[in-house]
Amino acid sequence: MNWTGRRLPRTEDPALLRGEGAFTADLAAGARAVRFLRSPFAAGRILSITAPDLPPGALLVTGADLEGVGTIRPELFRFNYRAIAQPVLPRERVHFVGQPVAAVVAATPEEAEDIAEAILLEIEPEEPVVTIDDALRPGAPILHAEAPGNTVVDGTIRHPDCQAAFARADRIVEFSLRSGRQNATPMEARAGLAAYDRATGRIRLTASCQMPHMLRTGIATLLGMAEADLQVVAPDVGGGFGQKMALFPEYPLLVWLARRHRGSFCWIEDRNENLIASAHSREQRHHLRAAFAADGTLLGLEADILANTGAFSCYPTTCGVEPLMALAEYPGPYRLPTYAARARALATHTCPAAPYRGVSRPVVTFGLERLMDRAAAALGIDPVELRRRNLVTEFPHVTPTGLTLDQASYVEALDRAAEAADIPGFRARQAAARRDGRYLGLGLAVFNERTGYGTPAFAARGMGIVPGYEVVDIAMTPAGDVEVRIGASPHGQGLRTTLAQLAADRLGLDPSRIRVIHGDTDRTPYGWGSFASRGAVIAGGATQLAADKLATRLRRAAARLLQAEPEAVTLRDGAAWAGEASIPLTEIARRVHQRSEQLSDLDGFNLAETAQYDPGGTFSNACHVAEVEVDAETGHVRVLRFLVVEDAGRLLNPLIADGQVHGGVAQGIANALLEEVLYAADGNPLTGSLADYLPPSAAEIPLIEIIHMETESPETLTGAKGLGEGGAIGAPAAIANAISDALAPFGVDIAELPATPARIRALIRNAR
Amino acid sequence: MKCPPFDYHAPRSQAEALALLARHGEEGKILAGGQSLVPTMAFRLARPASLIDINRIAELDYCRAEAGRLRIGALARHARFERLVAPGPTGALLARAAEHIAHAPIRTRGTFCGSLAHADPASEWCCIALALGAEMRVLREGGERLVPAADWFQSVFTTTLGHDELLAEASLPLLGPDWRCGFAEFNRRAGDFAVAMAVTALRLDAAGHVAGARIALGGVAGTPILAEAAAAALLGAPPTSDRLRAAAALAAEGFEPTEDAQVPADYRRDLVRAMTRRALEGSLAT
Ligand SMILES: Cc1cc2nc3c(=O)[nH]c(=O)nc-3n(C[C@H](O)[C@H](O)[C@H](O)COP(=O)(O)OP(=O)(O)OC[C@H]3O[C@@H](n4cnc5c(N)ncnc54)[C@H](O)[C@@H]3O)c2cc1C
């Protein structure tokens, strides 16, 4: 029986659906509540922090109390990175509205908020730098002395022959685009619970995080404590999307409190804090210039990329993650002979940026796919045909930025999508609708998604802390069940199900006998976490390797017990077989553990194994098609149809793969139409509640059709490729193209996302 | 986002509630469905010292047609109006608008009168109350007054309601079959407060001429407003498509729009033009 590849319902779901999940807040009973007092100013000098008479048991912690605590200062050794430091609590200056300035502890969150309200925080406001233009203005205030010109990263890639390509071009297409700032808005906001264990003196931090091992390293370093004295647990985590990768000041502060005051302290972030003070992303401006031959061949590309990365640099990825991802991945799935680009990260007095599902590639794909549509119009070539002429068709292919594209189906996925979208039929409906004054549009987006990349890829970025590998410990219990301990830390991706399926096939066991253990630094091997579409590929590969090693041990034991050669033993249906003879795995497990004298000559024999996996990476690919109707009077966009042709290699569990696509597309549609973090000119956030920051509801998301292709990757052990981010990567571009198509009669070109109704109306009004 | 401390009272009768209101004055606040008050308290924008919860007062829970008016008690929830509460244009208009108010769970708790008391400028019920000429029955210990909708709304979140007063009932005229009501609203997500909304009511005489016209706009100024010039322009002639368009254009020009980072003034005027025309056209389509 093959378990891998089946649409197995997730083992995670029943408890979640019954409301029996255990999230950090569910575990916080008995802990004292922490409320952070946050800066009301974008920029300013702290003059004083005065507390009223604190009720008994209440505490106030300010930067002055944190003697000896380090600063959050991630490193990058390339691209002119300037290391800037973020204090856990500032002593001198505040750098964004929402920055924690002090912490109040009380018996209940209500009481802590009452006290926090009464604290007198005296800040002398200074001139803030809020936008990209503010940051670049000559003579602008400088946020960090280490970063002159507010430029924290300044990377370039310049091929010497790029100019020549433009000189040779028949057509040059040039435009600017802008992506608004977004918040990943996980359903569960951040949360932490730090508890002191009197017996051992250790601290257990339970936190809604994506990288428990990394968080432990980061906090132990900041506080100068032994890493072994800190246990970090990620219990059920209600979504992360990258926002929960970073080391935020709130967590070390909780651990500091637990150590100093030998008690339990919890902080459950509220939605307002999450919206203004967790992590933002995607605020970027690109200027693109592309050279084309008359037949549509792309000859060269120039890109100037600016990212507003906020007040500090996120740990461990640094604020280089957005601009440098764009720098490296602009060529996308296209054959690009020559390339010149510059990418900068700019510091401003706004909430720091961190990775968010897709990291830059939603913006890059928006740029590239608008470019393809604009070029098609300029050259008079059908947009599908123009793409087809430029997509990479031979693999492996090395991009101008040095990335190797493994076997994929760029053209095939495009063709499948174009066919399923019935473009001729759509054009007829579009024409008929236009006669009635209705504006329908169809847009597509082709892209590839770099996934499952290990140490070399991260090392190439010059990161001070290089993630990449995953380790899996596997063991069979005396009762014959299998425990798989993983360093990765899923938070909604269903890895418990998928990894059990993989291990089940290697061990000839039912997946219900396999327990995947994750999210606890005491119980799992050191590992990185779930981000960058890596869980299934890397933790999956490591699980498969570990299971194979365990299978070898089981075969050896079975061979001894069955009096056969190990090579002749196979594992299936919960037993080991040698010809007609068999022995249940439960029996092998019992004998190995409890009757080891029978196997005593197998030296040091047990049923535990470890494996590590660290692949180079693989690119999945997809083509998204959006059909929209634009209400020209109100600027409102309704998504009528959304089609995804997805090729993520071998599908380990298609049900879970579909879920990843659905969620990603929903976020992508919201990024295209609804969600934007806005700041006033003085740096005050204007989108501090879900009445102003607009994640989609079910009503805004159409049925999402998915067609899977399975081009297995030669680069990964399982043949699988990652797909966690793709939904969010392609959807904004497809929607932007569809709106531009719908509004072609007005000559409207979408160059700014989200394409809000007010913006669309302004474009239509100005076009008229 | 936790509420500041408060006392809680749960009176069993209207009289008891009025006594509590008199006692607590400015410090007291009525809790009806809580769908506006509780979030406002969580943001600490409202901090009443005492909450007077009226949810246990059975005598306030009604909605009935009586003597040509629809009488809506203080505990009638939004969800009640999703089905026709009365035959004729008034009931149909309420049902049409109800589905635009928030989401199902909120509609099962939030009250019609709570919306009028809260006076959000983008409230559907407030806009309808102004369009149709609602009348509020306001009680305080030892007193009662009736306030027409035209005098009710003062400014954003502000009505003529005094601190010691209870809005016991709102009533709407039950319009006859010669009236045609229209409703159109624009928002970015289903269930959000309107960015702009229009409620229209036209009375057609036997010749098919407009003999009466009311147009109210919501979500575009500090209070719901009447587009009087636009309504007047429709009178005395058949409601042709050109005349509806012209009226919509008048509606779009005749007020000072509120502006914010997401909605510039000229965009709001665009929306008012579109919503007014759609409400008028929709009301005549059937
Ligand atoms: C997510 C969300 C979306 C929403 N969307 C919409 C929408 O699209 N359209 C819309 O109209 N509303 C919307 N609302 C608001 C909702 O309709 C509220 O229910 C309504 O505004 C208030 O009614 P309530 O009974 O809940 O009043 P409460 O919240 O209990 O009270 C509101 C205010 O009115 C006072 N009050 C209430 N009843 C009385 C009374 N009888 N006499 C005197 N004072 C009284 C209270 O003291 C308080 O000041 C939304 C709410 C939420 C949370």
Side-chain angles (χ1 to χ4, degrees):
Chain A
M1 164 100 70
N2 240 349
W3 290 101
T4 309
R6 290 172 58 179
R7 300 178 73 86
L8 206 64
R10 307 195 324 161
T11 49
E12 290 88 343
D13 286 339
L16 294 174
L17 293 173
R18 285 196 305 263
E20 288 166 357
F23 297 84
T24 301
D26 297 318
L27 305 168
R32 287 203 273 168
V34 177
R35 172 82 185 169
F36 287 94
L37 185 63
R38 297 179 181 277
S39 173
F41 293 106
R45 228 158 47 79
I46 300 173
L47 301 178
S48 66
I49 303 173
T50 328
D53 289 339
L54 294 174
L59 297 168
L60 170 70
V61 183
T62 69
D65 298 310
L66 301 183
E67 201 59 57
V69 172
T71 56
I72 302 172
R73 189 175 172 279
E75 279 285 4
L76 195 66
F77 301 118
R78 287 186 65 188
F79 305 111
N80 299 302
Y81 179 73
R82 312 286 173 187
I84 55 178
Q86 176 176 20
V88 171
L89 294 176
R91 291 193 212 181
E92 283 164 30
R93 282 198 151 71
V94 292
H95 281 88
F96 70 97
V97 174
Q99 180 180 5
V101 178
V104 171
V105 178
T108 67
E110 288 81 358
E111 204 191 322
E113 198 167 332
D114 294 343
I115 298 169
E117 251 188 346
I119 287 173
L120 194 66
L121 178 62
E122 235 190 317
I123 291 179
E124 181 182 69
E126 295 176 323
E127 186 192 344
V129 168
V130 181
T131 63
I132 288 176
D133 285 331
D134 288 352
L136 289 175
R137 189 167 44 77
I142 299 297
L143 268 87
H144 305 280
E146 301 84 348
N150 293 315
T151 305
V152 189
V153 167
D154 190 350
T156 45
I157 293 179
R158 189 165 295 282
H159 289 198
D161 55 348
C162 199
Q163 268 182 339
F166 282 85
R168 214 169 59 235
D170 294 311
R171 187 58 93 149
I172 292 174
V173 181
E174 181 168 5
F175 63 99
S176 295
L177 58 98
R178 179 186 171 275
S179 161
R181 176 180 278 245
Q182 278 145 3
N183 181 308
T185 350
M187 211 184 292
E188 182 201 21
R190 296 176 295 164
L193 163 66
Y196 178 80
D197 180 348
R198 284 177 185 278
T200 61
R202 297 178 80 219
I203 309 287
R204 184 176 64 237
L205 174 69
T206 306
S208 185
C209 67
Q210 291 176 237
M211 301 173 88
H213 289 279
M214 188 66 256
L215 193 56
R216 181 170 81 144
T217 303
I219 292 172
T221 309
L222 276 178
L223 301 184
M225 66 188 285
E227 207 162 325
D229 284 340
L230 180 61
Q231 174 191 9
V232 176
V233 176
D236 278 330
V237 173
F241 313 110
Q243 187 185 87
K244 293 177 181 169
M245 285 168 68
L247 168 59
F248 294 102
E250 287 88 349
Y251 296 129
L253 200 278
L254 290 175
V255 175
W256 182 89
L257 277 168
R259 284 181 88 205
R260 169 63 63 98
H261 297 282
R262 303 188 165 208
S264 299
F265 297 85
C266 86
W267 163 65
I268 310 300
E269 183 179 56
D270 66 37
R271 188 56 63 184
N272 175 247
E273 292 178 285
N274 183 267
L275 284 171
I276 67 170
S278 57
H280 294 164
S281 62
R282 305 226 208 292
E283 186 179 343
Q284 295 188 15
R285 244 166 41 190
H286 298 182
H287 186 80
L288 295 182
R289 219 171 141 244
F292 286 89
D295 69 355
T297 308
L298 177 61
L299 303 174
L301 177 68
E302 287 177 1
D304 188 15
I305 296 144
L306 293 167
N308 182 344
T309 54
F312 300 107
S313 187
C314 60
Y315 178 103
T317 52
T318 80
C319 64
V321 64
E322 280 208 5
L324 297 178
M325 181 78 87
L327 184 71
E329 307 221 1
Y330 233 115
Y334 295 105
R335 261 190 316 269
L336 177 64
T338 173
Y339 177 59
R342 179 180 186 194
R344 281 170 281 179
L346 301 170
T348 62
H349 290 109
T350 61
C351 176
Y356 169 25
R357 196 177 203 167
V359 186
S360 262
R361 286 158 300 173
V363 191
V364 164
T365 305
F366 172 37
L368 261 188
E369 294 302 282
R370 283 303 300 136
L371 172 65
M372 287 297 152
D373 273 12
R374 279 174 179 256
L379 293 160
I381 299 175
D382 175 74
V384 173
E385 182 52 32
L386 181 78
R387 286 177 172 82
R388 204 184 275 125
R389 284 183 198 169
N390 286 295
L391 285 168
V392 171
T393 50
E394 279 166 33
F395 305 95
H397 170 90
V398 179
T399 72
T401 59
L403 304 179
T404 303
L405 307 184
D406 57 331
Q407 193 67 40
S409 59
Y410 302 149
V411 171
E412 297 80 354
L414 169 66
D415 286 343
R416 284 283 288 275
E419 191 194 317
D422 180 22
I423 296 177
F426 171 79
R427 292 290 169 218
R429 280 188 287 126
Q430 182 182 44
R434 274 185 194 163
R435 286 192 288 276
D436 299 339
R438 289 170 51 231
Y439 298 91
L440 304 185
L442 182 136
L444 44 88
V446 181
F447 62 95
N448 58 7
E449 179 189 355
R450 188 183 187 193
T451 70
Y453 41 108
T455 307
F458 286 101
R461 289 187 190 166
M463 289 168 68
I465 290 173
V466 180
Y469 56 85
E470 284 300 339
V471 176
V472 167
D473 290 346
I474 197 168
M476 188 172 269
T477 68
D481 300 310
V482 172
E483 292 176 339
V484 179
R485 296 166 189 272
I486 65 172
S489 189
H491 44 279
Q493 295 88 344
L495 272 194
R496 261 186 253 167
T497 308
T498 315
L499 299 186
Q501 285 175 271
L502 277 170
D505 281 342
R506 314 307 277 200
L507 297 168
L509 257 186
D510 191 284
S512 65
R513 305 296 304 268
I514 297 169
R515 303 278 178 279
V516 177
I517 296 163
H518 59 78
D520 184 341
T521 57
D522 272 9
R523 298 198 297 151
T524 63
Y526 201 85
W528 294 99
S530 295
F531 55 92
S533 299
R534 64 197 299 279
V537 173
I538 308 186
T543 299
Q544 184 167 308
L545 283 174
D548 281 344
K549 288 165 99 176
L550 177 60
T552 303
R553 283 179 175 256
L554 288 167
R555 277 196 296 269
R556 269 166 59 203
R560 174 61 43 87
L561 297 167
L562 295 171
Q563 315 277 307
E565 287 303 313
E567 298 72 48
V569 176
T570 56
L571 306 179
R572 74 188 130 86
D573 301 332
W577 297 77
E580 295 292 287
S582 73
I583 177 169
L585 297 183
T586 48
E587 185 57 23
I588 301 178
R590 194 185 68 78
R591 299 239 200 133
V592 169
H593 287 91
Q594 291 159 0
R595 298 299 305 273
S596 56
E597 83 281 3
Q598 297 179 359
L599 296 149
S600 55
D601 53 332
L602 290 179
D603 189 30
F605 194 73
N606 61 38
L607 293 179
E609 276 289 2
T610 286
Q612 176 167 348
Y613 185 49
D614 195 2
T618 172
F619 284 79
S620 60
N621 65 278
C623 180
H624 288 192
V625 185
E627 217 181 287
V628 303
E629 175 165 358
V630 185
D631 181 336
E633 281 185 320
T634 64
H636 188 258
V637 176
R638 201 152 67 89
V639 184
L640 303 173
R641 183 177 181 199
F642 205 97
L643 169 75
V644 175
V645 176
E646 175 77 45
D647 189 342
R650 177 165 168 240
L651 291 176
L652 307 181
N653 182 328
L655 187 67
I656 289 178
D658 285 355
Q660 288 292 321
V661 174
H662 290 154
V665 166
Q667 282 179 315
I669 290 174
N671 289 178
L673 298 174
L674 291 166
E675 295 184 21
E676 185 170 20
V677 173
L678 294 170
Y679 279 96
D682 66 359
N684 257 296
L686 300 171
T687 41
S689 86
L690 294 180
D692 299 305
Y693 188 80
L694 308 180
S697 75
E700 284 71 50
I701 304 300
L703 209 74
I704 297 162
E705 303 161 51
I706 303 174
I707 298 173
H708 286 293
M709 298 175 65
E710 293 192 64
T711 307
E712 295 203 5
S713 173
E715 299 298 320
T716 70
L717 269 182
T718 56
K721 302 176 175 188
L723 86 168
E725 298 166 279
I729 292 172
I735 300 272
N737 281 345
I739 299 171
S740 305
D741 180 48
L743 298 180
F746 300 97
V748 163
D749 250 314
I750 298 299
E752 179 176 26
L753 292 181
T756 62
R759 285 182 183 139
I760 290 176
R761 257 311 289 172
L763 288 170
I764 292 174
R765 208 184 304 111
N766 296 339
R768 270 178 169 155
Chain B
M1 287 174 78
K2 301 281 181 204
C3 296
F6 57 86
D7 289 337
Y8 174 81
H9 306 273
R12 299 278 166 169
S13 71
Q14 189 172 287
E16 207 187 320
L18 295 179
L20 283 163
L21 276 173
R23 176 137 58 86
H24 292 284
E26 268 189 54
E27 299 290 297
K29 246 194 184 319
I30 287 179
L31 175 69
Q35 299 303 297
S36 294
L37 181 55
V38 174
T40 318
M41 288 170 68
F43 272 105
R44 300 193 170 217
L45 297 170
R47 40 180 77 235
S50 300
L51 285 188
I52 301 159
D53 182 348
I54 59 172
N55 284 280
R56 288 177 185 75
I57 306 178
E59 62 199 290
L60 293 175
D61 188 6
Y62 61 89
C63 177
R64 58 176 176 262
E66 207 177 274
R69 294 190 77 85
L70 183 67
R71 306 195 168 280
I72 303 167
L75 281 182
R77 318 276 172 185
H78 305 322
R80 189 160 187 162
F81 299 90
E82 290 169 16
R83 293 206 228 135
L84 291 180
V85 289
T90 302
L93 173 64
L94 292 168
R96 180 77 206 289
E99 66 184 53
H100 288 270
I101 302 175
H103 311 278
I106 293 166
R107 291 198 292 268
T108 61
R109 296 195 65 93
T111 63
F112 188 98
C113 289
S115 287
L116 291 179
H118 187 59
D120 190 299
S123 148
E124 286 79 3
W125 295 150
C126 291
C127 196
I128 288 176
L130 185 64
L132 301 196
E135 191 174 72
M136 321 311 162
R137 187 164 157 259
V138 175
L139 304 181
R140 66 169 196 286
E141 200 165 37
E144 166 172 354
R145 60 190 181 112
L146 293 176
V147 186
D151 298 338
W152 179 254
F153 301 105
Q154 305 278 295
S155 61
V156 185
F157 303 131
T158 311
T159 68
T160 63
L161 197 68
H163 293 299
D164 56 349
E165 289 183 317
L166 169 75
L167 173 57
E169 177 188 292
S171 73
L172 292 170
L174 288 165
L175 300 178
D178 49 344
W179 283 89
R180 306 287 169 84
C181 291
F183 180 87
E185 150 167 351
F186 181 80
N187 51 20
R188 292 181 61 192
R189 295 178 304 186
D192 278 351
F193 275 106
V195 187
M197 119 180 54
V199 174
T200 64
L202 298 184
R203 189 163 66 82
L204 297 185
D205 65 17
H209 290 206
V210 177
R214 307 271 293 178
I215 301 176
L217 308 174
V220 298
T223 65
I225 52 175
L226 287 174
E228 283 167 328
L234 288 167
L235 292 174
T240 59
S241 156
D242 284 347
R243 295 185 70 89
L244 300 185
R245 254 173 215 289
L250 278 174
E253 294 312 318
F255 72 106
E256 267 320 304
T258 38
E259 264 194 286
D260 60 55
Q262 313 220 25
V263 188
D266 52 359
Y267 178 54
R268 213 154 227 147
R269 290 192 199 279
D270 285 350
L271 291 177
V272 166
R273 189 180 317 108
M275 292 307 113
T276 306
R277 186 178 53 73
R278 288 177 193 186
L280 288 168
E281 283 177 357
S283 74
L284 297 167
T286 43

